[in-house]
Every structure is written in C-alpha cells, then in structure tokens.
C-alpha cells in the first residue's frame, strides 16, 4: 500500500469512529464528567499513537535514503540505497540509484578525458625537456669541454665546476622527463619500468625492494600506465611523508586480474588521517580500469599498505577474460632487491630511437 493510502485510511478510520460515537448513545455531559474525559483522552491517544507508527514506518525509507545521500562518495563507487517502503518511496530510491549510475559513468568518462589530456601534456613536456633543453645542455657541455682544453691552468678548475653543474642539471632534466613520461614503460614494458622506479626511489634513507611475479595476464597500455602511476604516487608518499627506511613493491597475478602492493614500514596513516590530492588521484586512476584501491595498516600494525586490485581485464583487442585460462608463463620474475636492468636509463633517454620489447605473455598522510 502506498504512503498516501496508508495515511488516508488511518485518518478515515479516525473520522468514522468519531462520527459513530457522535451518532451513537455515547454522550458528553456539561460539565464533562471524569469518566467521559478519560474515554475521550484515551481514544485520542490511541489515534495519535497509531498515526505516529504509520508515519514512522512509512517515512523510515526516506531517512535511510537521506543517510545514503550524505555518505555517498563517487571515488568509492558501487554504494546504493536499499529499495524498500511504500510505492512512492521505492520509486524515489530507484530513481536516486539510477542517478548515481549516471553520475559515476559521467565522472569516469570525464576523469578519463582529463587524465588522458594530462598524460598527453606530460608526454609533450617530457619530449621538449629531452629534445630541446637536454640537447642544449649537451651542446653546452661540449663547448665547456673545448674551453677547458684551451683554458689556462688557473681557469680550468672553474670551467670544471661549470661542467659538473651543467652535467648535474642535465641529469636532473632527464630524471624529470622520465617521471613525467617513463620512456622505459613505452619501450621495455611494465616490469622494467617498475624496477627502474624502485631504483629511482632507493636513496640513502630508503631502500625499495621489488617482487614482480611472472604469469601476468595481458595488460592494455592504459592498465599498465595506471599501475605505474599508482606505484609512483605511493612511493612518492612513502618517501615524503612516512619516515620509512624500507619499502616493498609487489606485482602478482590474481584471479581475474592483477594486484599491485606498495608496503612501507613508516608511521602509517593514523586513525584520523585525511586523504589528500595524491590518494584522490590514485583512486581516480583506479576507476579508469575498474580497479579497487585500498589503504590499510601493514601486517604488524605499522606502516601502510597501498593495494590496487584490478577486476576482470580485457585482452588488448579482444573480449574480457578472467581466471587461470590466460595465465601463461612469462620470462621475467622480479627478485628482492633494488637492482634494475642494464641500459634502463639509456633506453629512457634514447626516446624514439628504441623499439619496445614486451614479455611474450602479452598479446600486443599522505597526499
């Protein structure tokens, strides 16, 4: 029964009972006798109590809908209000859930466009840094070398310092270009890119070990880029905010997809830690490939685990696949340690001149 008919029926019953009492033998004296007043008050109290119960039951779904609307977060998709209650309320909740479906789809599409434009701009800036600024600094180094060969002994020390400063600037430009757009990811694949990333974050105060398992399902370029960017952001947060001296980078196949885990032994998120732009960016990237991002404490209660698990993956150019049927052996298995393959930086700096080599398993508090 709809909410309208419930309230109408209750009011109709109250009015019918009142009319029956007025037309019946029941009378009210003047002045009112105590027994008569007691009957009237009891009848009124009963009517109000039944009315309150009907309204409470009928409006309870609206209260649940209000709480669901207050708690909704498009970065945590999938939460929906429970459909129930009278017909009008059920239709309202169903409409609200359909609106959430549209909002999540539109947000995912807009975020995909924004991140795609961001990656294109990163690629353009990285290319200009490498091709323009990098080549200019290389030319300056060559000129300084010629000057040093001809300079008198008293000036060679200063020219050598200028050479070292220029060389340090050139190395920094190359590091920035690699972080903006990892050439090793395009040229040598995800495993080499993650190993290079672990080596880049290994400093005197932080040691990053990696464990990259063989047998990954075929990954699209978009999925590989999301995995790389999430690992990069997680390690950046570890280096800047956690105070950790050890971190681990794991990538392994799971049922229906892959799982990326970045673990550190730092101070952790804390019970009331707010998520900043970095974590929000990771969640938005996870939404692009239908993955789930979770942040928890480490296994011993200290540190932080950043875990990205993909759902059903799509073969590049093919239908969705899941399960062991596509888990073929791969040629690479990362081992503990921070080493990276020889020539990683060279491949990243060579830009367009290097061809991409992919594993055979493929078919094609922080902030």
């Amino acid at each position: 029964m709809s909410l309208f008919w419930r309230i109408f029926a209750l009011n109709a019953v109250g009015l019918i009972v009142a009319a029956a009492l007025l037309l019946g033998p029941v009378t009210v004296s003047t002045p009112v006798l105590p027994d008569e007043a007691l009957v009237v008050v009891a009848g009124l109290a009963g009517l109000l109590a039944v009315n309150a119960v009907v309204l409470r039951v009928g409006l309870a779904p609206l209260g649940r809908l209000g709480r669901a609307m207050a708690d909704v977060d498009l970065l945590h998709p999938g939460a929906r209000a429970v459909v129930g209650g009278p017909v009008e309320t059920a239709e309202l909740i169903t409409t609200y859930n359909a609106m959430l479906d549209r909002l999540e789809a539109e947000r995912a599409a807009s975020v995909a466009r924004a991140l795609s434009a961001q990656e294109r701009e990163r690629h353009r800036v990285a290319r200009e840094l490498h091709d323009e600024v990098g080549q200019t600094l290389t030319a300056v180094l060559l000129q300084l070398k010629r000057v040093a060969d001809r300079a008198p002994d008293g000036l060679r020390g200063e020219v050598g310092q200028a050479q070292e400063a220029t060389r340090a600037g050139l190395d920094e430009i190359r590091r920035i270009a690699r972080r903006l757009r990892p050439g090793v990811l395009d040229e040598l694949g995800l495993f080499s890119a993650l190993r290079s990333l672990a080596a880049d974050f290994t400093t005197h105060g932080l040691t990053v070990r990696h464990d990259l398992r063989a047998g990954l399902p075929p990954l699209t370029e978009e999925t590989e880029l999301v995995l790389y960017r999430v690992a990069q952001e997680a390690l950046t947060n570890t280096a800047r905010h956690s105070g950790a001296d050890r971190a681990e980078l794991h990538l392994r196949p799971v049922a229906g997809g892959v799982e990326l885990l970045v673990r550190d032994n730092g101070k952790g998120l804390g019970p009331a830690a707010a998520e900043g732009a970095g974590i929000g960016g990771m969640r938005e990237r996870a939404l692009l490939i239908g993955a789930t991002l979770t942040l928890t404490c480490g296994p011993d209660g200290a540190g932080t685990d950043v875990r990205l698990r993909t759902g059903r993956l799509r073969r590049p150019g093919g239908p969705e696949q899941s399960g062991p049927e596509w888990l073929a052996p791969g040629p690479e298995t990362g081992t503990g340690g921070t080493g990276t393959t020889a020539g990683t930086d060279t491949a990243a700096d060579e830009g367009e001149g290097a061809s991409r080599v992919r594993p055979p398993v493929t078919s094609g508090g922080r902030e």
Side-chain angles (χ1 to χ4, degrees):
M1 182 184 297
S2 68
L3 183 61
F4 169 80
W5 286 111
R6 290 186 184 186
I7 297 177
F8 177 80
L10 177 64
N11 291 334
V13 169
L15 293 175
I16 291 173
V17 171
L21 291 176
L22 290 176
L23 296 176
V26 178
T27 59
V28 178
S29 304
T30 303
V32 180
L33 299 177
D35 293 342
E36 296 173 344
L38 181 61
V39 171
V40 172
V41 170
L44 179 61
L47 185 61
L48 292 176
V50 173
N51 193 21
V53 170
V54 171
L55 290 177
R56 173 70 69 178
V57 173
L59 298 178
L62 293 179
R64 292 196 298 269
L65 176 61
R67 291 189 293 272
M69 295 174 69
D71 296 338
V72 69
D73 184 358
L74 294 182
L75 288 179
H76 299 78
R80 296 292 183 268
V82 179
V83 179
V87 176
E88 297 93 337
T89 307
E91 290 178 353
L92 177 63
I93 297 175
T94 302
T95 304
Y96 167 74
N97 289 339
M99 181 190 69
L100 276 186
D101 293 337
R102 293 195 301 273
L103 286 177
E104 289 181 359
E106 292 172 1
R107 179 185 176 88
S110 62
V111 168
R113 290 192 295 270
L115 291 179
S116 177
Q118 183 186 84
E119 288 298 334
R120 288 195 300 271
E121 186 65 14
R122 282 173 177 259
H123 192 273
R124 184 189 66 80
V125 173
R127 184 188 298 274
E128 291 186 359
L129 285 174
H130 183 275
D131 295 344
E132 302 296 333
V133 182
Q135 297 301 329
T136 300
L137 290 179
T138 301
V140 171
L141 274 177
L142 294 175
Q143 292 175 357
L144 287 174
K145 184 179 184 304
R146 287 194 294 268
V147 171
D149 293 338
R150 300 175 182 176
D153 294 340
L155 293 178
R156 287 184 179 178
E158 296 181 7
V159 175
Q161 292 177 0
Q163 284 180 294
E164 291 302 320
T166 305
R167 187 174 291 108
L170 180 59
D171 292 340
E172 184 62 24
I173 288 294
R174 287 173 174 172
R175 280 195 295 271
I176 292 173
R178 285 199 302 270
R179 289 193 178 186
L180 284 173
R181 181 68 183 184
V184 67
L185 177 63
D186 294 331
E187 296 153 8
L188 300 180
L190 182 61
F191 279 11
S192 296
L194 291 179
R195 284 198 298 268
S196 178
L197 185 67
D200 288 343
F201 276 93
T202 296
T203 62
H204 296 294
L206 178 64
T207 300
V208 182
R209 301 177 66 86
H210 57 76
D211 179 14
L212 310 178
R213 304 287 181 87
L216 294 183
L219 303 176
T220 63
E221 292 185 1
E222 183 183 53
T223 301
E224 288 187 350
L225 185 59
V226 168
L227 291 169
Y228 180 86
R229 290 299 186 198
V230 169
Q232 185 181 48
E233 182 63 36
L235 288 175
T236 299
N237 282 342
T238 295
R240 290 181 179 177
H241 307 294
S242 71
D245 59 3
R246 294 192 311 276
E248 301 174 8
L249 176 61
H250 300 267
L251 181 66
R252 65 188 183 93
V254 295
V258 297
E259 181 182 78
L260 173 73
L261 171 64
V262 180
R263 172 177 292 166
D264 64 58
N265 65 340
K267 61 185 179 182
L269 291 172
E275 294 188 0
I279 296 177
M282 287 192 289
R283 294 195 184 280
E284 289 181 342
R285 290 185 181 277
L287 291 178
L288 293 180
I289 58 174
T292 302
L293 181 77
T294 56
L295 284 81
T296 57
C297 294
D300 55 356
T304 303
D305 284 3
V306 179
R307 192 182 307 270
L308 178 73
R309 174 171 291 199
T310 67
R312 299 186 64 186
L313 295 175
R314 186 182 300 276
R315 285 186 185 272
E320 287 184 347
Q321 300 289 333
S322 64
E325 64 189 50
W326 65 346
L327 300 182
E332 295 187 75
T333 302
T335 58
T338 58
T340 181
T341 55
T344 296
D345 291 344
T346 303
D349 292 337
E350 287 175 356
E352 301 300 323
S355 61
R356 185 174 184 180
V357 180
R358 302 300 309 277
V361 293
T362 62
S363 58
R366 302 166 181 246
E367 293 181 354

